[in-house]
Amino acid sequence: MSKLTSYIIVGLTLTTVLFSSCHNNKKGKDGRTDTYSSGAIHFVSDESFSPLIEEERFVFQNDYPKAKVTPIYTNESEAINRLLNGKAWLAFTARDFKPSEIKSLQAQSYRPVSLKLAYDALAFIVNKANTDTIISVKNIEHIMTGKATRWSDLFKGSRRGTITVVFDNAKSSTVHYVEDSILGGKAISNPHVAAVNKTAEVIKYVEQNPGAIGIIGNNWLNDKHDSTNLTFNKNIRVMSVSRIHPATPTSGRKPYQYYIYNGEYPLIRTVYALLNDPRQGLPWGFAHFIEGPKGQRIVMKAGLLPVLGNINIRDVNVSQ
């Protein structure tokens, strides 16, 4: 007997615009010769966005073979510091410029600009053997402040022992989001919270430790062979997160595009391109490419929600 499953698919309609390919090869005072669509530059990015940025970079360089954009993947704090200190002209982050940062750059005769590129979700992942996969925002707060240190504090009768929380980096955008948006600006105080160096290491740790919770960006989850973005990494489980406490199966939501779109998933963040490029050269070209029609389709394919374009919702029934 076949099983009929209903899914909600998020689609995207975009209006095509022309991408400028003007060429100004005059060398600037800083020695740069790059243009909007040619030359070579380095940019910085929070490492949690690397799957999305790599897809964008591949297509951009294929479309504009005279352009080479090389990433430096690091934590969000380091990425923004490089931008502010003139060591990079473009940074991809999960926050906008702070007013003090804008004033500082303007005082140096710069014109900082931020572009919203996508909406991402913060995903909580657990070991494949772990069936305790429904959690509330209040539960997350209790874990981060040390009020809940064992799985039995969340799920009565659980024998999984100590909850170990793993972040990608101690100064990453995921840590900043938890501290700013969940803890109200307070620091994480649970002694069983640790940070590794990269998102891939978070996933590997969760795969090997039944008591772990990993916190990663949504663009690391999706099955590249699933065009519907409804299949997550098969080696881990993705937790459902609920605004309501205590969480229930009906109140919890997973970080699907549809729940990002309608705002029902509670842990949503914005992906920004921060520009401080007085030449308005290749850093601008790459950032505006991601903001444009083709770049926004790549955002959609990566499992994130595009900022631009008309979103189309439809129900799909699948026989299994």
Side-chain angles (χ1 to χ4, degrees):
M1 180 181 294
S2 64
K3 179 182 178 182
L4 191 65
T5 304
S6 178
Y7 291 116
I8 301 175
I9 305 298
V10 181
L12 178 66
T13 301
L14 289 157
T15 302
T16 302
V17 296
L18 294 176
F19 180 74
S20 172
S21 59
C22 60
H23 294 276
N24 176 15
N25 292 318
K26 293 181 180 179
K27 184 179 292 187
K29 293 181 180 179
D30 55 8
R32 290 171 56 190
T33 59
D34 59 283
T35 72
Y36 204 71
S37 58
S38 68
I41 56 107
H42 288 77
F43 65 89
V44 287
S45 173
D46 186 285
E47 189 269 342
S48 67
F49 301 130
S50 61
L52 169 65
I53 299 303
E54 282 301 298
E55 290 288 332
E56 298 281 5
R57 190 170 73 94
F58 175 81
V59 177
F60 176 77
Q61 292 182 152
N62 185 67
D63 287 359
Y64 302 95
K66 293 183 179 180
K68 183 178 182 181
V69 289
T70 303
I72 299 173
Y73 291 117
T74 182
N75 59 71
E76 185 176 74
S77 295
E78 176 64 19
I80 292 174
N81 284 337
R82 282 176 174 265
L83 191 73
L84 297 177
N85 293 329
K87 296 180 180 179
W89 306 112
L90 169 64
F92 295 101
T93 69
R95 72 162 175 87
D96 201 345
F97 283 111
K98 295 179 180 179
S100 60
E101 294 167 346
I102 293 177
K103 287 182 180 180
S104 174
L105 291 170
Q106 289 175 339
Q108 302 173 61
S109 299
Y110 288 115
R111 296 174 61 189
V113 174
S114 64
L115 303 175
K116 289 183 179 181
L117 302 179
Y119 298 109
D120 182 31
L122 213 63
F124 281 62
I125 61 173
V126 293
N127 187 273
K128 191 174 181 179
N130 193 339
T131 56
D132 296 327
T133 58
I134 303 174
I135 196 171
S136 71
V137 175
K138 180 62 72 174
N139 288 147
I140 296 170
E141 180 184 343
H142 287 170
I143 292 171
M144 298 302 164
T145 57
K147 291 182 181 179
T149 59
R150 301 182 64 82
W151 283 95
S152 58
D153 295 332
L154 304 180
F155 305 94
K156 291 183 179 180
S158 175
R159 297 180 179 179
R160 300 190 190 281
T162 301
I163 300 171
T164 303
V165 181
V166 185
F167 284 94
D168 50 350
N169 189 286
K171 296 183 179 180
S172 72
S173 59
T174 54
V175 172
H176 294 158
Y177 182 95
V178 170
E179 292 182 336
D180 295 341
S181 300
I182 298 178
L183 301 183
K186 297 178 182 179
I188 297 168
S189 54
N190 187 335
H192 301 294
V193 174
V196 287
N197 293 311
K198 297 180 179 179
T199 304
E201 295 175 13
V202 176
I203 297 172
K204 183 177 180 180
Y205 186 91
V206 171
E207 288 176 348
Q208 297 174 347
N209 294 273
I213 295 178
I215 305 176
I216 64 176
N218 183 49
N219 68 132
W220 280 85
L221 289 177
N222 291 82
D223 185 339
K224 301 300 182 183
H225 302 291
D226 177 17
S227 62
T228 67
N229 290 317
L230 292 169
T231 306
F232 293 137
N233 185 318
K234 295 180 177 63
N235 295 323
I236 47 89
R237 290 182 186 269
V238 179
M239 303 188 84
S240 296
V241 182
S242 170
R243 296 183 189 276
I244 300 171
H245 181 78
T248 67
T250 55
S251 68
R253 296 289 184 268
K254 291 189 178 182
Y256 291 130
Q257 280 175 322
Y258 178 69
Y259 295 131
I260 300 174
Y261 168 74
N262 67 13
E264 290 185 20
Y265 189 75
L267 308 177
I268 299 172
R269 59 183 183 171
T270 305
V271 182
Y272 290 90
L274 302 185
L275 287 153
N276 187 35
D277 179 14
R279 184 179 174 85
Q280 296 189 6
L282 192 54
W284 280 71
F286 183 43
H288 283 294
F289 170 83
I290 301 176
E291 186 188 37
K294 186 172 286 189
Q296 291 291 282
R297 290 192 184 95
I298 295 170
V299 168
M300 192 77 179
K301 184 180 177 182
L304 282 68
L305 192 71
V307 169
L308 302 178
N310 297 318
I311 303 298
N312 308 307
I313 307 296
R314 66 182 187 273
D315 292 315
V316 176
N317 294 321
V318 180
S319 296
Q320 297 179 335

